[in-house]
Amino acid sequence: MVYRQLGPAAGVPVILLNHWGAVLDNFDPRIVDGLAATRPVIALDYRGVGASTGKARLTVAEMAQDTIAFIRALGFEEVDLLGFSLGGFVVQDIVRQTPGLVRKVILTGTGPAGGEGIEKVGPVSWPLIIKGMLTLRDPKFYLFFTSTANGRRAAKAFLERLQERKTDRDKPIRMAAFLRQLKAIKAWGTQAPQDLSAIRKPVLVANGDHDIMVPSSNTIDLARRLPNAELVLYEDAGHGGIFQYHEAFVSKALEFLAR
């Protein structure tokens, strides 16, 4: 499993788990660098994704097991977790499987098992993926941001940031892994709801208020069902709300983690 580690050596590390189809170069550098200014940060490729070897997992639970093994292999006894989209599903399962390993949790652009519309991520995404190909734009331009002037400006700036790294870039995701991850997302969306009241850890839940991929209602539902949760919704923002409002998000995340 391939990863990048940044920031100081001391302190509880923040483990970053990213979205469907993401490799290391899809982590927003403003968020990674912002967190790493004061905290150890580790961004991770799932098994079979990017430069990580093996076969991509077909369930969220298996991705969680891989991540737990990865954390333990690095010798960490306690970590903070930040999951975006698919990564947020994985984070929920990590906390459920090994609560003693986790100190604090940040869930962004994500939702609970069986959440509203999660099983439809594929049907919602494919037309906009095709639109991106036809317009020679990264599909995230349409999938992660609103169609307002603010959303379009934020999309352009975000996609430019993802190209800032010029050396040591990760390998792109393979189509087989992309499709296997989509099956895992659909399974998460169709499985029975979990008892989130068992997650007693402090949780920061954040999203845009117009998420079309993982509907924003899921974010509100998470905050309601998690007993120790704080909710942040960004106005005129979509699935990539934390990227559009990266300065505000980093400030909030660091404040939350420092408590």
Side-chain angles (χ1 to χ4, degrees):
M1 296 180 76
V2 172
Y3 66 98
R4 287 184 183 141
Q5 185 165 353
L6 302 90
V12 177
V14 184
I15 310 296
L16 307 185
L17 297 173
N18 216 345
H19 62 82
W20 169 36
V23 298
L24 292 176
D25 297 321
N26 293 115
F27 287 98
D28 189 333
R30 294 299 176 275
I31 291 177
V32 177
D33 292 347
L35 295 174
T38 58
R39 301 292 307 277
V41 172
I42 296 174
L44 174 68
D45 270 345
Y46 303 107
R47 179 195 298 244
V49 172
S52 287
T53 56
K55 200 168 189 178
R57 295 297 207 173
L58 280 172
T59 69
V60 167
E62 289 173 331
M63 295 179 206
Q65 290 163 10
D66 281 346
T67 307
I68 292 166
F70 168 82
I71 291 167
R72 287 179 168 157
L74 291 184
F76 297 122
E77 297 181 358
E78 186 178 55
V79 298
D80 294 329
L81 298 173
L82 191 163
F84 172 64
S85 196
L86 169 61
F89 307 160
V90 178
V91 165
Q92 291 173 63
D93 254 21
I94 293 171
V95 182
R96 284 168 49 83
Q97 290 183 38
T98 56
L101 190 62
V102 181
R103 189 184 71 107
K104 291 190 176 183
V105 175
I106 302 177
L107 298 173
T108 67
T110 195
E116 178 187 359
I118 293 175
E119 81 283 359
K120 298 176 183 176
V121 165
V124 167
S125 300
W126 285 122
L128 295 177
I129 291 172
I130 293 170
K131 183 177 181 180
M133 295 170 64
L134 293 175
T135 59
L136 303 179
R137 277 183 164 145
D138 188 309
K140 291 187 282 294
F141 185 90
Y142 303 108
L143 287 167
F144 282 16
F145 299 88
T146 62
S147 58
T148 66
N150 286 335
R152 292 298 184 237
R153 280 195 297 270
K156 183 174 182 291
F158 168 68
L159 294 173
E160 287 174 354
R161 293 198 297 275
L162 295 188
Q163 299 305 314
E164 288 177 352
R165 174 182 284 271
K166 302 303 180 186
T167 60
D168 193 30
R169 289 185 67 88
D170 199 3
K171 295 181 180 178
I173 190 166
R174 296 175 292 277
M175 181 54 69
F178 188 76
L179 296 176
R180 287 174 71 85
Q181 283 191 336
L182 182 57
K183 288 182 179 179
I185 292 169
K186 184 174 181 179
W188 179 261
T190 55
Q191 77 179 59
Q194 297 172 330
D195 178 14
L196 298 183
S197 68
I199 298 178
R200 313 299 300 184
K201 305 293 179 178
V203 184
L204 176 63
V205 185
N207 199 1
D209 62 357
H210 285 83
D211 188 343
I212 61 170
M213 290 193 72
V214 181
S216 303
S217 57
N218 289 289
T219 306
I220 298 168
D221 187 37
L222 277 174
R224 179 182 59 82
R225 291 168 57 191
L226 289 161
N228 194 10
E230 180 178 357
L231 173 64
V232 177
L233 282 177
Y234 297 108
E235 293 183 2
D236 186 21
H239 193 58
I242 64 168
F243 311 136
Q244 182 168 338
Y245 290 87
H246 57 86
E247 290 182 356
F249 172 71
V250 168
S251 177
K252 182 66 181 178
L254 287 175
E255 182 268 330
F256 168 76
L257 294 172
R259 290 178 199 160

